[in-house]
Amino acid sequence: PDIMKKWFFTSELTNIYTMSEPKVGGTFEILDFHDEEDYYVLGKYKEIDPPKKLRFTFKMPHINDAEDVIEIQIKPYESGCKMTFIQEIKIPTEVGLTEEEIESKLKEYHDQTEEGWGYIFDELSKVLKTMREVSFYEKMLGQGDLSNDYFNSNSNHERNV
Protein backbone atom coordinates (compact mmCIF):
# COMPACT_ATOMS: atom_id res chain seq x y z
CA PRO A 1 0.00 0.00 0.00
CA ASP A 2 2.84 2.45 0.66
CA ILE A 3 3.98 2.36 -2.96
CA MET A 4 0.48 1.80 -4.36
CA LYS A 5 -0.75 5.07 -2.86
CA LYS A 6 1.90 6.98 -4.79
CA TRP A 7 0.54 6.06 -8.23
CA PHE A 8 -2.42 3.67 -8.50
CA PHE A 9 -5.49 5.82 -9.13
CA THR A 10 -4.07 8.39 -6.77
CA SER A 11 -1.02 10.38 -5.92
CA GLU A 12 0.70 10.98 -2.63
CA LEU A 13 -0.69 14.50 -2.55
CA THR A 14 -4.35 13.51 -3.03
CA ASN A 15 -4.47 10.08 -1.40
CA ILE A 16 -6.65 9.86 1.68
CA TYR A 17 -6.68 6.10 2.24
CA THR A 18 -5.14 3.00 0.63
CA MET A 19 -5.55 -0.60 1.72
CA SER A 20 -4.35 -3.68 -0.14
CA GLU A 21 -4.26 -7.42 0.58
CA PRO A 22 -2.16 -8.62 -2.39
CA LYS A 23 -3.23 -12.27 -2.50
CA VAL A 24 -5.73 -14.15 -4.63
CA GLY A 25 -9.12 -13.30 -3.16
CA GLY A 26 -7.66 -10.31 -1.31
CA THR A 27 -9.09 -6.85 -1.84
CA PHE A 28 -7.89 -3.30 -2.28
CA GLU A 29 -9.48 0.06 -1.58
CA ILE A 30 -8.39 3.55 -2.51
CA LEU A 31 -9.91 6.86 -1.51
CA ASP A 32 -8.59 9.88 -3.35
CA PHE A 33 -9.70 13.49 -3.16
CA HIS A 34 -9.14 15.90 -6.04
CA ASP A 35 -11.15 18.48 -7.97
CA GLU A 36 -13.35 18.90 -4.88
CA GLU A 37 -14.59 15.29 -5.08
CA ASP A 38 -13.96 11.95 -3.40
CA TYR A 39 -12.99 9.14 -5.77
CA TYR A 40 -13.39 5.64 -4.39
CA VAL A 41 -11.95 2.50 -6.00
CA LEU A 42 -12.59 -1.09 -4.93
CA GLY A 43 -11.08 -4.24 -6.32
CA LYS A 44 -10.41 -7.90 -5.73
CA TYR A 45 -7.30 -9.81 -6.80
CA LYS A 46 -8.27 -12.70 -9.08
CA GLU A 47 -4.82 -13.93 -10.21
CA ILE A 48 -1.31 -13.05 -9.07
CA ASP A 49 1.69 -14.56 -10.87
CA PRO A 50 4.71 -12.34 -10.11
CA PRO A 51 6.33 -10.90 -12.08
CA LYS A 52 4.34 -12.03 -15.13
CA LYS A 53 0.66 -11.43 -14.55
CA LEU A 54 -1.84 -9.63 -12.35
CA ARG A 55 -5.63 -9.86 -12.81
CA PHE A 56 -8.12 -8.00 -10.64
CA THR A 57 -11.54 -6.39 -10.57
CA PHE A 58 -11.90 -2.61 -10.62
CA LYS A 59 -15.00 -0.76 -9.48
CA MET A 60 -15.82 2.89 -8.81
CA PRO A 61 -19.09 2.70 -6.83
CA HIS A 62 -19.49 6.48 -6.63
CA ILE A 63 -19.93 6.48 -10.43
CA ASN A 64 -21.87 3.25 -11.09
CA ASP A 65 -22.13 -0.44 -10.17
CA ALA A 66 -20.08 -1.71 -13.14
CA GLU A 67 -17.14 -3.93 -12.24
CA ASP A 68 -14.40 -4.16 -14.86
CA VAL A 69 -11.73 -6.85 -14.98
CA ILE A 70 -8.16 -5.73 -15.55
CA GLU A 71 -5.26 -7.91 -16.59
CA ILE A 72 -1.65 -6.78 -16.62
CA GLN A 73 0.94 -8.95 -18.34
CA ILE A 74 4.67 -8.28 -18.06
CA LYS A 75 7.20 -9.91 -20.38
CA PRO A 76 10.94 -9.40 -20.87
CA TYR A 77 11.62 -6.96 -23.69
CA GLU A 78 14.99 -5.70 -24.93
CA SER A 79 16.75 -4.18 -21.90
CA GLY A 80 13.62 -3.99 -19.75
CA CYS A 81 10.10 -5.31 -19.93
CA LYS A 82 6.89 -4.80 -21.86
CA MET A 83 3.59 -4.31 -20.07
CA THR A 84 0.33 -5.28 -21.75
CA PHE A 85 -2.76 -3.79 -20.15
CA ILE A 86 -6.20 -5.27 -20.87
CA GLN A 87 -9.42 -3.87 -19.44
CA GLU A 88 -12.68 -5.75 -19.87
CA ILE A 89 -15.07 -2.83 -19.67
CA LYS A 90 -18.58 -3.31 -18.38
CA ILE A 91 -20.77 -0.35 -19.26
CA PRO A 92 -24.12 -0.01 -17.57
CA THR A 93 -26.73 0.93 -20.13
CA GLU A 94 -30.24 2.08 -19.61
CA VAL A 95 -33.04 0.14 -21.21
CA GLY A 96 -34.31 1.68 -24.41
CA LEU A 97 -31.07 3.22 -25.69
CA THR A 98 -30.62 3.23 -29.44
CA GLU A 99 -27.54 1.65 -31.04
CA GLU A 100 -26.25 5.16 -31.73
CA GLU A 101 -26.65 6.17 -28.07
CA ILE A 102 -24.90 2.99 -26.92
CA GLU A 103 -22.01 3.64 -29.33
CA SER A 104 -21.77 7.21 -28.08
CA LYS A 105 -21.62 6.00 -24.45
CA LEU A 106 -18.96 3.42 -25.36
CA LYS A 107 -16.79 6.08 -27.01
CA GLU A 108 -17.20 8.48 -24.10
CA TYR A 109 -16.33 5.78 -21.56
CA HIS A 110 -13.37 4.63 -23.66
CA ASP A 111 -11.97 8.16 -23.93
CA GLN A 112 -12.38 8.86 -20.20
CA THR A 113 -10.85 5.50 -19.31
CA GLU A 114 -7.88 6.02 -21.64
CA GLU A 115 -7.23 9.47 -20.18
CA GLY A 116 -7.44 8.14 -16.61
CA TRP A 117 -5.08 5.23 -17.19
CA GLY A 118 -2.69 7.57 -19.01
CA TYR A 119 -2.46 9.64 -15.85
CA ILE A 120 -2.03 6.51 -13.71
CA PHE A 121 0.79 5.18 -15.92
CA ASP A 122 2.51 8.60 -15.82
CA GLU A 123 2.46 8.42 -12.01
CA LEU A 124 3.77 4.83 -12.11
CA SER A 125 6.62 5.94 -14.37
CA LYS A 126 7.62 8.64 -11.85
CA VAL A 127 7.58 6.15 -8.97
CA LEU A 128 9.68 3.61 -10.91
CA LYS A 129 12.17 6.31 -11.88
CA THR A 130 12.52 7.35 -8.26
CA MET A 131 12.95 3.72 -7.19
CA ARG A 132 15.74 3.26 -9.77
CA GLU A 133 17.43 6.45 -8.58
CA VAL A 134 17.20 5.38 -4.94
CA SER A 135 18.65 1.98 -5.87
CA PHE A 136 21.50 3.68 -7.79
CA TYR A 137 22.37 5.85 -4.80
CA GLU A 138 22.19 2.87 -2.46
CA LYS A 139 24.84 1.16 -4.58
CA MET A 140 26.97 4.30 -4.93
CA LEU A 141 26.85 5.15 -1.24
CA GLY A 142 27.03 1.55 -0.05
CA GLN A 143 24.06 2.19 2.21
CA GLY A 144 21.24 -0.07 3.25
CA ASP A 145 17.80 -0.07 1.69
CA LEU A 146 17.00 3.63 1.21
CA SER A 147 13.85 2.70 -0.70
CA ASN A 148 12.18 1.47 2.49
CA ASP A 149 12.76 4.89 4.02
CA TYR A 150 11.63 6.71 0.88
CA PHE A 151 8.42 4.71 0.51
CA ASN A 152 7.55 4.53 4.21
CA SER A 153 3.99 5.80 4.63
CA ASN A 154 5.08 7.90 7.60
CA SER A 155 7.74 9.75 5.67
CA ASN A 156 7.28 12.60 3.24
CA HIS A 157 10.54 12.80 1.31
CA GLU A 158 11.39 14.64 -1.84
CA ARG A 159 14.54 13.83 -3.73
CA ASN A 160 15.94 16.09 -6.40
CA VAL A 161 18.41 14.15 -8.48
Side-chain angles (χ1 to χ4, degrees):
D2 291 341
I3 295 174
M4 185 182 204
K5 77 178 198 178
K6 294 180 182 291
W7 71 274
F8 189 66
F9 197 77
T10 189
S11 78
E12 193 168 27
L13 300 175
T14 60
N15 178 270
I16 294 173
Y17 173 76
T18 303
M19 183 282 299
S20 179
E21 301 171 305
K23 61 182 182 182
V24 174
T27 60
F28 65 86
E29 298 177 38
I30 300 165
L31 178 59
D32 193 67
F33 181 79
H34 61 271
D35 301 329
E36 303 298 318
E37 278 191 66
D38 285 334
Y39 291 86
Y40 192 52
V41 176
L42 298 172
K44 184 174 185 176
Y45 296 102
K46 296 173 78 69
E47 185 178 349
I48 301 174
D49 184 12
K52 299 177 222 164
K53 187 177 183 181
L54 179 63
R55 187 171 169 84
F56 56 92
T57 63
F58 186 88
K59 182 177 185 175
M60 298 177 66
H62 64 285
I63 294 176
N64 59 48
D65 289 333
E67 184 174 80
D68 295 351
V69 176
I70 294 173
E71 183 174 314
I72 299 171
Q73 302 169 359
I74 299 176
K75 296 180 181 171
Y77 182 77
E78 295 178 4
S79 64
C81 62
K82 179 179 181 179
M83 179 182 80
T84 302
F85 178 86
I86 302 163
Q87 183 171 5
E88 299 170 15
I89 297 174
K90 311 271 191 307
I91 299 177
T93 57
E94 297 88 30
V95 176
L97 290 179
T98 66
E99 283 294 318
E100 188 176 281
E101 290 169 326
I102 292 171
E103 285 300 316
S104 176
K105 279 187 149 230
L106 283 169
K107 181 178 178 352
E108 177 184 341
Y109 193 78
H110 171 272
D111 293 348
Q112 290 172 347
T113 300
E114 188 173 294
E115 180 182 343
W117 285 109
Y119 173 77
I120 290 168
F121 294 144
D122 287 346
E123 291 300 309
L124 174 59
S125 179
K126 291 175 192 173
V127 169
L128 293 174
K129 181 177 187 275
T130 300
M131 290 174 77
R132 282 192 302 272
E133 291 167 355
V134 168
S135 178
F136 170 78
Y137 282 101
E138 285 174 355
K139 290 174 187 170
M140 292 299 292
L141 299 172
Q143 294 188 0
D145 189 1
L146 297 174
S147 62
N148 281 338
D149 180 50
Y150 182 81
F151 292 108
N152 181 322
S153 63
N154 297 322
S155 62
N156 187 11
H157 297 285
E158 286 187 21
R159 297 186 190 261
N160 296 318
V161 181

